Structures are given as C-alpha cells and as structure tokens.
Coordinates of all heavy atoms in Angstrom, one line a residue:
M116 N -16.3 -24.2 20.8 CA -17.7 -23.9 20.6 C -18.1 -24.4 19.2 O -17.4 -24.2 18.3 CB -17.8 -22.4 20.7 CG -19.2 -21.9 20.4 SD -19.4 -20.1 20.7 CE -19.9 -20.1 22.4
P117 N -19.3 -25.0 19.1 CA -19.8 -25.5 17.8 C -20.0 -24.3 16.9 O -20.4 -23.2 17.3 CB -21.1 -26.2 18.1 CG -21.4 -25.9 19.6 CD -20.2 -25.3 20.2
S118 N -19.9 -24.6 15.6 CA -20.1 -23.6 14.6 C -21.6 -23.4 14.3 O -22.4 -24.3 14.5 CB -19.4 -24.0 13.3 OG -18.0 -24.0 13.4
L119 N -21.9 -22.2 13.9 CA -23.3 -21.8 13.6 C -23.3 -21.6 12.1 O -22.6 -20.8 11.5 CB -23.6 -20.5 14.3 CG -25.0 -19.9 13.9 CD1 -26.1 -20.9 14.4 CD2 -25.1 -18.6 14.6
I120 N -24.2 -22.4 11.4 CA -24.4 -22.3 10.0 C -25.7 -21.7 9.7 O -26.7 -22.2 10.2 CB -24.2 -23.6 9.2 CG1 -22.8 -24.2 9.5 CG2 -24.5 -23.5 7.8 CD1 -22.6 -25.5 9.0
I121 N -25.8 -20.6 9.0 CA -27.1 -19.9 8.8 C -27.4 -20.0 7.3 O -26.6 -19.6 6.4 CB -27.0 -18.4 9.1 CG1 -26.7 -18.3 10.6 CG2 -28.3 -17.7 8.8 CD1 -26.3 -16.9 11.0
L122 N -28.5 -20.6 6.9 CA -28.9 -20.7 5.5 C -29.5 -19.4 5.1 O -30.3 -18.8 5.7 CB -29.8 -21.9 5.3 CG -29.3 -23.2 5.7 CD1 -30.4 -24.3 5.6 CD2 -28.1 -23.6 4.9
I123 N -29.1 -18.9 3.9 CA -29.6 -17.7 3.4 C -31.1 -17.7 3.2 O -31.8 -16.7 3.5 CB -28.9 -17.3 2.0 CG1 -27.5 -17.1 2.2 CG2 -29.6 -16.1 1.4 CD1 -26.7 -16.9 1.0
D124 N -31.7 -18.8 2.8 CA -33.2 -18.8 2.6 C -33.9 -19.2 3.9 O -35.1 -19.6 3.8 CB -33.5 -19.6 1.4 CG -33.1 -21.1 1.6 OD1 -32.4 -21.4 2.6 OD2 -33.5 -21.9 0.8
S125 N -33.3 -19.2 5.0 CA -34.0 -19.6 6.2 C -35.2 -18.7 6.6 O -35.0 -17.5 6.5 CB -33.0 -19.6 7.4 OG -33.6 -19.8 8.6
P126 N -36.3 -19.3 6.9 CA -37.5 -18.5 7.3 C -37.2 -17.7 8.6 O -37.9 -16.8 8.9 CB -38.6 -19.5 7.4 CG -38.0 -20.8 7.6 CD -36.6 -20.7 6.9
N127 N -36.3 -18.1 9.3 CA -36.0 -17.5 10.6 C -35.0 -16.3 10.5 O -34.7 -15.7 11.5 CB -35.4 -18.5 11.6 CG -36.5 -19.5 12.0 OD1 -37.6 -19.2 12.1 ND2 -36.1 -20.7 12.1
L128 N -34.5 -16.1 9.3 CA -33.5 -15.0 9.1 C -34.0 -13.6 9.5 O -33.2 -13.0 10.2 CB -33.0 -15.0 7.6 CG -31.8 -14.1 7.3 CD1 -30.6 -14.5 8.2 CD2 -31.4 -14.2 5.9
P129 N -35.2 -13.2 9.2 CA -35.6 -11.9 9.7 C -35.6 -11.8 11.2 O -35.2 -10.8 11.8 CB -37.0 -11.7 9.1 CG -37.1 -12.6 7.9 CD -36.1 -13.8 8.3
K130 N -36.0 -12.9 11.9 CA -36.0 -13.0 13.3 C -34.5 -12.9 13.8 O -34.3 -12.2 14.8 CB -36.6 -14.3 13.8 CG -38.1 -14.3 13.6 CD -38.6 -15.7 14.1 CE -40.1 -15.9 13.7 NZ -40.6 -17.2 14.1
L131 N -33.6 -13.6 13.2 CA -32.2 -13.5 13.6 C -31.7 -12.1 13.5 O -31.1 -11.7 14.4 CB -31.4 -14.5 12.7 CG -29.9 -14.5 12.9 CD1 -29.6 -15.0 14.3 CD2 -29.2 -15.2 11.9
R132 N -31.9 -11.4 12.4 CA -31.4 -10.1 12.3 C -32.0 -9.2 13.3 O -31.4 -8.3 13.8 CB -31.8 -9.5 10.9 CG -30.9 -10.2 9.8 CD -31.0 -9.5 8.6 NE -30.5 -8.2 8.8 CZ -30.0 -7.4 7.9 NH1 -30.1 -7.7 6.6 NH2 -29.6 -6.2 8.1
K133 N -33.3 -9.4 13.7 CA -34.0 -8.5 14.6 C -33.4 -8.7 16.0 O -33.2 -7.8 16.8 CB -35.5 -8.9 14.7 CG -36.3 -8.0 15.7 CD -37.7 -8.4 15.6 CE -38.5 -7.6 16.6 NZ -39.9 -7.9 16.6
Y134 N -33.0 -9.9 16.3 CA -32.5 -10.2 17.7 C -31.0 -10.4 17.7 O -30.4 -10.8 18.8 CB -33.2 -11.5 18.2 CG -34.6 -11.3 18.4 CD1 -35.5 -12.0 17.6 CD2 -35.1 -10.5 19.4 CE1 -36.9 -11.8 17.7 CE2 -36.5 -10.3 19.5 CZ -37.4 -10.9 18.7 OH -38.7 -10.8 18.8
L135 N -30.3 -10.1 16.7 CA -28.8 -10.2 16.6 C -28.2 -9.1 17.5 O -28.2 -7.9 17.2 CB -28.4 -10.1 15.2 CG -26.9 -10.5 14.9 CD1 -26.7 -11.9 15.2 CD2 -26.6 -10.2 13.5
T136 N -27.7 -9.5 18.6 CA -27.1 -8.5 19.5 C -25.8 -8.1 19.0 O -25.2 -8.7 18.1 CB -26.9 -9.1 20.9 OG1 -25.9 -10.2 20.8 CG2 -28.2 -9.7 21.5
T137 N -25.3 -7.0 19.5 CA -24.0 -6.5 19.1 C -22.9 -7.5 19.4 O -22.0 -7.8 18.5 CB -23.6 -5.2 19.8 OG1 -24.6 -4.2 19.5 CG2 -22.3 -4.7 19.4
N138 N -23.0 -8.2 20.5 CA -22.0 -9.2 20.9 C -22.0 -10.4 19.9 O -21.0 -10.9 19.4 CB -22.2 -9.7 22.3 CG -21.7 -8.7 23.3 OD1 -21.0 -7.8 23.0 ND2 -22.2 -8.9 24.5
L139 N -23.2 -10.9 19.6 CA -23.3 -12.0 18.6 C -22.9 -11.6 17.3 O -22.2 -12.3 16.6 CB -24.8 -12.5 18.6 CG -25.0 -13.7 17.7 CD1 -24.1 -14.8 18.0 CD2 -26.5 -14.1 17.7
H140 N -23.3 -10.4 16.8 CA -22.8 -9.9 15.5 C -21.3 -9.8 15.5 O -20.7 -10.2 14.5 CB -23.4 -8.5 15.3 CG -23.2 -8.0 13.9 ND1 -22.0 -7.3 13.5 CD2 -23.9 -8.0 12.8 CE1 -22.0 -7.0 12.3 NE2 -23.2 -7.4 11.8
N141 N -20.7 -9.3 16.5 CA -19.2 -9.2 16.5 C -18.6 -10.6 16.5 O -17.6 -10.8 15.9 CB -18.7 -8.4 17.8 CG -19.1 -6.9 17.6 OD1 -19.3 -6.4 16.5 ND2 -19.1 -6.2 18.8
Y142 N -19.2 -11.5 17.3 CA -18.7 -12.9 17.4 C -18.7 -13.5 16.0 O -17.7 -14.1 15.5 CB -19.5 -13.7 18.4 CG -19.1 -15.2 18.3 CD1 -17.9 -15.6 18.9 CD2 -19.9 -16.1 17.6 CE1 -17.6 -17.0 18.8 CE2 -19.6 -17.4 17.6 CZ -18.4 -17.9 18.2 OH -18.1 -19.2 18.1
L143 N -19.9 -13.4 15.3 CA -20.0 -14.0 14.0 C -19.1 -13.4 13.0 O -18.5 -14.1 12.2 CB -21.5 -13.9 13.5 CG -22.5 -14.7 14.2 CD1 -23.9 -14.4 13.8 CD2 -22.2 -16.2 14.1
G144 N -18.9 -12.1 13.1 CA -18.0 -11.4 12.2 C -16.5 -11.9 12.4 O -15.8 -12.1 11.5
N145 N -16.2 -12.0 13.7 CA -14.8 -12.4 14.0 C -14.6 -13.9 13.7 O -13.4 -14.3 13.4 CB -14.5 -12.2 15.5 CG -14.4 -10.7 15.8 OD1 -14.1 -9.9 15.0 ND2 -14.7 -10.4 17.1
E146 N -15.6 -14.7 13.8 CA -15.5 -16.2 13.6 C -15.9 -16.6 12.2 O -15.9 -17.8 11.9 CB -16.3 -16.9 14.6 CG -15.7 -16.7 16.1 CD -14.3 -17.2 16.2 OE1 -14.1 -18.4 15.8 OE2 -13.5 -16.5 16.8
L147 N -16.3 -15.7 11.3 CA -16.8 -16.1 10.0 C -15.8 -17.0 9.2 O -16.2 -18.0 8.6 CB -17.1 -14.9 9.2 CG -17.7 -15.1 7.8 CD1 -19.0 -15.9 7.9 CD2 -18.0 -13.8 7.1
T148 N -14.5 -16.7 9.3 CA -13.5 -17.6 8.6 C -13.5 -19.0 9.2 O -13.5 -19.9 8.4 CB -12.1 -16.9 8.8 OG1 -12.1 -15.6 8.2 CG2 -11.1 -17.8 8.1
V149 N -13.6 -19.1 10.5 CA -13.6 -20.4 11.1 C -14.9 -21.2 10.8 O -14.9 -22.4 10.5 CB -13.4 -20.3 12.6 CG1 -13.6 -21.7 13.3 CG2 -12.1 -19.7 13.0
I150 N -16.0 -20.5 10.9 CA -17.3 -21.1 10.5 C -17.3 -21.5 9.1 O -17.8 -22.7 8.8 CB -18.5 -20.0 10.8 CG1 -18.6 -19.7 12.3 CG2 -19.8 -20.6 10.3 CD1 -19.4 -18.6 12.7
Y151 N -16.8 -20.7 8.2 CA -16.8 -21.1 6.8 C -15.9 -22.3 6.6 O -16.3 -23.2 5.8 CB -16.3 -19.9 5.9 CG -16.3 -20.2 4.4 CD1 -17.5 -20.1 3.7 CD2 -15.1 -20.6 3.8 CE1 -17.5 -20.4 2.3 CE2 -15.1 -20.9 2.4 CZ -16.3 -20.8 1.7 OH -16.3 -21.1 0.4
Q152 N -14.8 -22.3 7.2 CA -13.8 -23.5 7.1 C -14.5 -24.8 7.6 O -14.4 -25.8 6.9 CB -12.5 -23.2 7.8 CG -11.6 -22.2 7.1 CD -11.3 -22.6 5.7 OE1 -10.9 -23.7 5.4 NE2 -11.4 -21.6 4.8
D153 N -15.2 -24.7 8.7 CA -15.9 -25.9 9.2 C -17.0 -26.3 8.2 O -17.1 -27.5 8.0 CB -16.6 -25.5 10.6 CG -15.5 -25.4 11.7 OD1 -14.4 -25.7 11.5 OD2 -15.9 -24.9 12.8
A154 N -17.7 -25.4 7.7 CA -18.8 -25.7 6.7 C -18.2 -26.3 5.5 O -18.7 -27.3 4.9 CB -19.6 -24.5 6.4
L155 N -17.1 -25.7 5.0 CA -16.4 -26.2 3.8 C -15.9 -27.6 4.0 O -16.1 -28.5 3.1 CB -15.2 -25.3 3.5 CG -14.4 -25.6 2.2 CD1 -15.3 -25.6 1.0 CD2 -13.3 -24.7 2.1
E156 N -15.3 -27.9 5.1 CA -14.8 -29.3 5.4 C -16.0 -30.3 5.5 O -15.9 -31.4 4.9 CB -14.1 -29.3 6.7 CG -12.7 -28.7 6.7 CD -12.1 -28.6 8.1 OE1 -12.5 -29.4 9.0 OE2 -11.1 -27.8 8.2
Y157 N -17.1 -29.8 6.1 CA -18.3 -30.7 6.1 C -18.8 -31.0 4.7 O -19.1 -32.2 4.4 CB -19.4 -30.0 7.0 CG -20.7 -30.7 7.0 CD1 -20.8 -31.8 7.9 CD2 -21.8 -30.4 6.2 CE1 -22.0 -32.5 8.0 CE2 -22.9 -31.1 6.3 CZ -23.1 -32.2 7.2 OH -24.3 -32.9 7.2
V158 N -19.0 -30.0 3.9 CA -19.5 -30.2 2.5 C -18.5 -31.1 1.7 O -18.9 -32.0 1.0 CB -19.7 -28.8 1.8 CG1 -20.0 -29.0 0.3 CG2 -20.9 -28.1 2.5
Q159 N -17.2 -30.8 1.9 CA -16.2 -31.6 1.1 C -16.3 -33.1 1.5 O -16.3 -34.0 0.7 CB -14.8 -31.1 1.3 CG -14.6 -29.8 0.6 CD -13.3 -29.1 0.9 OE1 -12.7 -29.4 2.0 NE2 -12.8 -28.3 0.0
E160 N -16.5 -33.4 2.8 CA -16.6 -34.7 3.3 C -17.9 -35.4 2.8 O -17.9 -36.5 2.3 CB -16.6 -34.8 4.8 CG -15.3 -34.5 5.4 CD -15.3 -34.5 7.0 OE1 -16.3 -34.9 7.6 OE2 -14.3 -34.0 7.6
K161 N -19.0 -34.7 2.8 CA -20.3 -35.2 2.4 C -20.3 -35.4 0.9 O -21.0 -36.3 0.4 CB -21.4 -34.3 2.8 CG -21.7 -34.3 4.3 CD -22.2 -35.6 4.7 CE -22.5 -35.6 6.2 NZ -22.9 -36.9 6.7
T162 N -19.6 -34.6 0.1 CA -19.7 -34.7 -1.3 C -18.5 -35.5 -1.9 O -18.4 -35.7 -3.1 CB -19.7 -33.4 -2.0 OG1 -18.5 -32.7 -1.7 CG2 -20.9 -32.6 -1.6
G163 N -17.6 -36.0 -1.0 CA -16.4 -36.7 -1.5 C -15.5 -35.8 -2.3 O -14.9 -36.2 -3.2
F164 N -15.5 -34.5 -1.9 CA -14.6 -33.5 -2.5 C -15.0 -33.3 -4.0 O -14.1 -32.9 -4.8 CB -13.1 -33.9 -2.4 CG -12.6 -33.8 -1.0 CD1 -12.8 -34.8 -0.1 CD2 -12.1 -32.6 -0.5 CE1 -12.4 -34.8 1.2 CE2 -11.6 -32.5 0.8 CZ -11.8 -33.6 1.7
S165 N -16.2 -33.6 -4.4 CA -16.7 -33.4 -5.8 C -17.1 -32.0 -6.1 O -17.4 -31.7 -7.2 CB -17.8 -34.4 -6.1 OG -18.9 -34.2 -5.3
V166 N -17.3 -31.2 -5.1 CA -17.7 -29.8 -5.3 C -16.5 -28.9 -5.0 O -15.8 -29.1 -3.9 CB -18.9 -29.5 -4.4 CG1 -19.3 -28.0 -4.6 CG2 -20.0 -30.4 -4.6
D167 N -16.3 -27.9 -5.8 CA -15.1 -27.0 -5.7 C -15.6 -25.7 -5.2 O -16.2 -24.9 -6.0 CB -14.4 -26.9 -7.0 CG -13.1 -26.2 -6.9 OD1 -12.5 -26.1 -5.8 OD2 -12.7 -25.6 -7.9
F168 N -15.4 -25.4 -4.0 CA -15.8 -24.1 -3.4 C -14.5 -23.3 -3.1 O -13.5 -23.9 -2.9 CB -16.6 -24.2 -2.1 CG -18.0 -24.7 -2.3 CD1 -18.3 -26.0 -1.9 CD2 -19.0 -23.9 -2.7 CE1 -19.6 -26.5 -2.1 CE2 -20.3 -24.3 -2.9 CZ -20.6 -25.6 -2.6
P169 N -14.6 -21.9 -3.0 CA -13.5 -21.1 -2.7 C -12.9 -21.6 -1.3 O -13.7 -21.9 -0.4 CB -14.0 -19.7 -2.6 CG -15.3 -19.7 -3.4 CD -15.8 -21.1 -3.3
Q170 N -11.6 -21.5 -1.1 CA -11.0 -21.9 0.2 C -11.3 -20.9 1.3 O -11.3 -21.2 2.4 CB -9.5 -22.1 0.0 CG -9.2 -23.3 -0.8 CD -9.8 -24.6 -0.2 OE1 -9.6 -24.9 1.0 NE2 -10.6 -25.3 -1.0
E171 N -11.6 -19.6 0.9 CA -11.9 -18.6 1.8 C -13.3 -18.0 1.5 O -13.7 -18.0 0.4 CB -10.9 -17.4 1.7 CG -9.5 -17.8 2.1 CD -8.5 -16.7 2.0 OE1 -9.0 -15.5 1.9 OE2 -7.3 -16.9 2.1
C172 N -14.0 -17.7 2.5 CA -15.4 -17.2 2.4 C -15.4 -15.9 1.5 O -14.7 -14.9 1.9 CB -16.0 -16.9 3.7 SG -17.7 -16.4 3.6
P173 N -16.1 -15.9 0.4 CA -16.1 -14.7 -0.5 C -17.1 -13.7 -0.1 O -17.3 -12.7 -0.8 CB -16.5 -15.3 -1.8 CG -17.3 -16.5 -1.5 CD -16.8 -17.1 -0.2
Y174 N -17.8 -13.8 1.1 CA -18.8 -12.9 1.5 C -18.5 -12.3 2.8 O -17.7 -12.9 3.6 CB -20.1 -13.6 1.6 CG -20.4 -14.4 0.4 CD1 -20.4 -15.8 0.4 CD2 -20.7 -13.8 -0.8 CE1 -20.7 -16.6 -0.7 CE2 -21.0 -14.6 -2.0 CZ -21.0 -16.0 -1.9 OH -21.2 -16.7 -3.0
I175 N -19.0 -11.1 3.1 CA -18.9 -10.5 4.4 C -20.2 -10.9 5.2 O -21.2 -11.2 4.6 CB -18.7 -9.0 4.4 CG1 -19.8 -8.3 3.6 CG2 -17.3 -8.7 3.7 CD1 -19.7 -6.8 3.7
L176 N -20.2 -10.7 6.5 CA -21.3 -11.1 7.3 C -22.6 -10.3 6.9 O -23.7 -10.9 6.8 CB -21.0 -10.8 8.8 CG -22.1 -11.2 9.8 CD1 -22.5 -12.7 9.7 CD2 -21.7 -10.8 11.2
E177 N -22.5 -9.1 6.6 CA -23.6 -8.3 6.2 C -24.3 -8.8 5.0 O -25.5 -8.8 4.9 CB -23.3 -6.8 6.0 CG -23.0 -6.1 7.3 CD -21.7 -6.5 8.0 OE1 -20.8 -7.0 7.3 OE2 -21.6 -6.3 9.2
Q178 N -23.5 -9.4 4.0 CA -24.1 -10.0 2.8 C -24.9 -11.3 3.2 O -26.0 -11.5 2.7 CB -23.0 -10.3 1.8 CG -22.4 -9.0 1.2 CD -21.2 -9.4 0.4 OE1 -20.4 -10.2 0.7 NE2 -21.1 -8.7 -0.7
L179 N -24.3 -12.1 4.1 CA -24.9 -13.3 4.5 C -26.2 -13.1 5.2 O -27.1 -13.9 5.2 CB -23.9 -14.1 5.3 CG -22.7 -14.6 4.6 CD1 -21.7 -15.3 5.5 CD2 -23.1 -15.5 3.4
L180 N -26.3 -12.0 6.0 CA -27.5 -11.7 6.8 C -28.5 -10.9 6.0 O -29.7 -10.8 6.4 CB -27.1 -10.9 8.0 CG -26.2 -11.6 9.0 CD1 -25.9 -10.7 10.2 CD2 -26.9 -12.9 9.5
D181 N -28.2 -10.4 4.8 CA -29.1 -9.7 4.0 C -29.9 -10.6 3.1 O -29.3 -11.1 2.1 CB -28.4 -8.6 3.2 CG -29.3 -7.8 2.3 OD1 -30.5 -8.0 2.2 OD2 -28.7 -6.8 1.7
K182 N -31.2 -10.8 3.3 CA -31.9 -11.8 2.6 C -32.1 -11.4 1.1 O -32.4 -12.3 0.3 CB -33.3 -12.1 3.2 CG -34.2 -10.9 3.2 CD -35.6 -11.3 3.8 CE -36.5 -10.1 3.7 NZ -37.8 -10.4 4.3
N183 N -32.0 -10.2 0.8 CA -32.1 -9.7 -0.6 C -30.8 -9.6 -1.4 O -30.8 -9.3 -2.5 CB -32.8 -8.4 -0.6 CG -34.2 -8.5 -0.1 OD1 -35.0 -9.4 -0.5 ND2 -34.6 -7.6 0.7
W184 N -29.7 -9.8 -0.7 CA -28.4 -9.6 -1.3 C -28.2 -10.5 -2.5 O -27.8 -10.1 -3.6 CB -27.2 -9.8 -0.3 CG -25.9 -9.7 -0.9 CD1 -25.2 -8.6 -1.3 CD2 -25.1 -10.8 -1.3 NE1 -24.0 -8.9 -1.8 CE2 -23.9 -10.3 -1.9 CE3 -25.2 -12.2 -1.2 CZ2 -22.9 -11.1 -2.4 CZ3 -24.2 -13.0 -1.8 CH2 -23.1 -12.4 -2.3
F185 N -28.5 -11.8 -2.3 CA -28.2 -12.7 -3.5 C -29.1 -12.4 -4.6 O -28.7 -12.5 -5.8 CB -28.5 -14.1 -3.0 CG -28.1 -15.1 -4.1 CD1 -26.8 -15.4 -4.4 CD2 -29.2 -15.7 -4.8 CE1 -26.5 -16.3 -5.4 CE2 -28.9 -16.6 -5.8 CZ -27.6 -16.9 -6.2
L186 N -30.4 -11.9 -4.4 CA -31.3 -11.6 -5.4 C -30.7 -10.4 -6.2 O -30.8 -10.4 -7.5 CB -32.7 -11.3 -4.9 CG -33.4 -12.4 -4.2 CD1 -34.7 -11.9 -3.6 CD2 -33.6 -13.6 -5.2
R187 N -30.1 -9.4 -5.5 CA -29.5 -8.3 -6.2 C -28.3 -8.7 -7.0 O -28.1 -8.3 -8.1 CB -29.2 -7.2 -5.2 CG -30.4 -6.4 -4.7 CD -29.9 -5.2 -3.9 NE -29.1 -5.5 -2.8 CZ -29.4 -5.7 -1.5 NH1 -30.7 -5.8 -1.2 NH2 -28.6 -6.0 -0.6
L188 N -27.5 -9.6 -6.5 CA -26.3 -10.1 -7.1 C -26.7 -10.8 -8.4 O -26.2 -10.6 -9.5 CB -25.5 -11.0 -6.2 CG -24.3 -11.7 -6.8 CD1 -23.3 -10.7 -7.2 CD2 -23.8 -12.7 -5.9
E189 N -27.7 -11.7 -8.3 CA -28.2 -12.5 -9.4 C -28.8 -11.5 -10.5 O -28.5 -11.7 -11.7 CB -29.3 -13.4 -9.0 CG -29.8 -14.4 -10.0 CD -30.8 -15.3 -9.5 OE1 -31.7 -14.9 -8.7 OE2 -30.7 -16.5 -9.9
S190 N -29.5 -10.5 -10.1 CA -30.1 -9.6 -11.1 C -29.0 -8.8 -11.8 O -29.0 -8.7 -13.0 CB -31.0 -8.6 -10.3 OG -31.4 -7.6 -11.2
N191 N -28.0 -8.4 -11.1 CA -26.8 -7.7 -11.7 C -26.1 -8.6 -12.7 O -25.7 -8.1 -13.7 CB -25.9 -7.1 -10.6 CG -26.5 -5.9 -9.9 OD1 -27.4 -5.3 -10.4 ND2 -26.0 -5.7 -8.7
L192 N -25.9 -9.8 -12.3 CA -25.2 -10.8 -13.1 C -26.0 -11.0 -14.4 O -25.4 -11.1 -15.5 CB -24.9 -12.1 -12.4 CG -24.1 -13.1 -13.1 CD1 -22.8 -12.6 -13.5 CD2 -24.0 -14.4 -12.2
N193 N -27.3 -11.2 -14.3 CA -28.1 -11.4 -15.5 C -28.1 -10.2 -16.4 O -28.0 -10.4 -17.6 CB -29.5 -11.8 -15.1 CG -29.7 -13.1 -14.5 OD1 -28.9 -14.0 -14.8 ND2 -30.7 -13.3 -13.6
F194 N -28.1 -9.0 -15.8 CA -28.0 -7.8 -16.6 C -26.7 -7.8 -17.4 O -26.7 -7.5 -18.6 CB -28.1 -6.6 -15.7 CG -28.0 -5.3 -16.4 CD1 -29.0 -4.8 -17.1 CD2 -26.8 -4.6 -16.4 CE1 -28.9 -3.5 -17.8 CE2 -26.6 -3.4 -17.1 CZ -27.7 -2.9 -17.8
F195 N -25.6 -8.1 -16.7 CA -24.3 -8.1 -17.4 C -24.2 -9.1 -18.5 O -23.8 -8.8 -19.6 CB -23.2 -8.4 -16.3 CG -21.8 -8.6 -16.9 CD1 -21.1 -7.5 -17.4 CD2 -21.3 -9.9 -17.1 CE1 -19.9 -7.7 -18.0 CE2 -20.1 -10.1 -17.7 CZ -19.3 -9.0 -18.1
I196 N -24.7 -10.3 -18.2 CA -24.7 -11.4 -19.3 C -25.5 -11.0 -20.5 O -25.1 -11.2 -21.6 CB -25.2 -12.7 -18.6 CG1 -24.1 -13.2 -17.7 CG2 -25.5 -13.7 -19.7 CD1 -24.6 -14.4 -16.8
N197 N -26.7 -10.5 -20.2 CA -27.6 -10.1 -21.3 C -27.0 -8.9 -22.1 O -27.1 -9.0 -23.4 CB -29.0 -9.7 -20.8 CG -29.7 -10.9 -20.2 OD1 -29.5 -12.0 -20.6 ND2 -30.6 -10.6 -19.3
N198 N -26.4 -8.0 -21.5 CA -25.8 -6.9 -22.2 C -24.6 -7.3 -23.0 O -24.3 -6.8 -24.0 CB -25.5 -5.7 -21.3 CG -26.8 -4.9 -20.9 OD1 -27.7 -4.9 -21.7 ND2 -26.8 -4.3 -19.8
R199 N -23.8 -8.2 -22.4 CA -22.6 -8.7 -23.0 C -23.0 -9.4 -24.3 O -22.4 -9.2 -25.3 CB -21.9 -9.6 -22.1 CG -20.6 -10.0 -22.5 CD -19.9 -10.8 -21.5 NE -19.4 -12.0 -22.1 CZ -18.9 -13.1 -21.5 NH1 -18.9 -13.1 -20.2 NH2 -18.6 -14.1 -22.2
S200 N -24.0 -10.2 -24.2 CA -24.5 -11.0 -25.4 C -25.0 -10.0 -26.5 O -24.8 -10.2 -27.7 CB -25.6 -12.0 -25.0 OG -25.1 -12.9 -24.1
A201 N -25.8 -9.0 -26.1 CA -26.4 -8.0 -27.0 C -25.3 -7.2 -27.7 O -25.5 -6.8 -28.8 CB -27.4 -7.1 -26.3
N202 N -24.2 -7.0 -27.0 CA -23.1 -6.2 -27.6 C -22.1 -7.0 -28.3 O -21.1 -6.5 -28.8 CB -22.5 -5.3 -26.6 CG -23.4 -4.2 -26.0 OD1 -24.2 -3.7 -26.8 ND2 -23.3 -4.0 -24.7
G203 N -22.3 -8.3 -28.4 CA -21.4 -9.2 -29.2 C -20.1 -9.4 -28.5 O -19.1 -9.8 -29.1
F204 N -20.0 -9.3 -27.1 CA -18.8 -9.6 -26.4 C -18.7 -11.1 -26.1 O -19.6 -11.8 -25.8 CB -18.7 -8.8 -25.1 CG -18.5 -7.3 -25.4 CD1 -19.5 -6.4 -25.2 CD2 -17.3 -6.9 -25.8 CE1 -19.3 -5.1 -25.4 CE2 -17.1 -5.5 -26.1 CZ -18.1 -4.6 -25.9

C-alpha cells in the first residue's frame, strides 16, 4: 500500500481530522514508523543525503494531526531560549 504523507500546514488538515475514522486513525498510528521511513528515504534521495533527520519519527500521530502543536512547541522553545539568555546560562 502506498504511504500517506500529511503536511502539517496543509489546508485540508482540519477536514482530515474531522473525517478521520477510527480505522484510518489506527492504521496511521500502526504504520507511522513505516510512513516516516518511506518519507525519510525519499527526502534523503532528493537531497543527496545532505539533510540529517532522526532515523525514527520523533512525533506521535496526535502531534502530527494537531495543527497548533508545532506553534506551542516553538513558543515553549523560544521561552526557554529567552530565559536561558536572561539568566546567563
């Protein structure tokens, strides 16, 4: 079966979450490792192995389907960096 790659900023993401059946959700959850490996191989081939990504998917399906997850992560990271700099670490 071909892999399904979902882009986080896809305008269809809210529709996907709305219509994501239990079976499809379970399938994606079970196949996330395979899907990530397929995507990783594709990116490595296209970039000539010039990009270094983790060998295993660092995210869970719920994070990938949550359109605000990355924004929260980025906000928390910026907060940490700013506070670290302010405290002289």
Side-chain angles (χ1 to χ4, degrees):
M116 175 175 273
S118 293
L119 174 65
I120 299 174
I121 302 170
L122 299 177
I123 293 174
D124 62 349
S125 170
N127 294 321
L128 191 55
K130 292 178 188 176
L131 176 66
R132 290 194 61 162
K133 181 178 178 181
Y134 297 109
L135 192 64
T136 65
T137 301
N138 286 341
L139 180 56
H140 186 276
N141 291 341
Y142 171 78
L143 291 173
N145 291 336
E146 295 296 316
L147 184 58
T148 301
V149 173
I150 294 168
Y151 182 81
Q152 289 301 315
D153 288 348
L155 181 61
E156 288 175 18
Y157 177 81
V158 168
Q159 288 174 333
E160 287 175 15
K161 289 294 183 182
T162 63
F164 293 84
S165 63
V166 180
D167 188 26
F168 287 106
Q170 291 300 307
E171 295 181 14
C172 184
Y174 312 108
I175 61 172
L176 181 60
E177 285 72 23
Q178 291 170 322
L179 296 173
L180 295 176
D181 180 355
K182 67 179 182 176
N183 295 314
W184 175 80
F185 184 75
L186 297 175
R187 287 191 302 270
L188 176 67
E189 184 178 43
S190 175
N191 290 339
L192 183 58
N193 287 333
F194 176 80
F195 173 75
I196 290 170
N197 292 334
N198 284 331
R199 190 175 128 189
S200 298
N202 294 323
F204 291 107

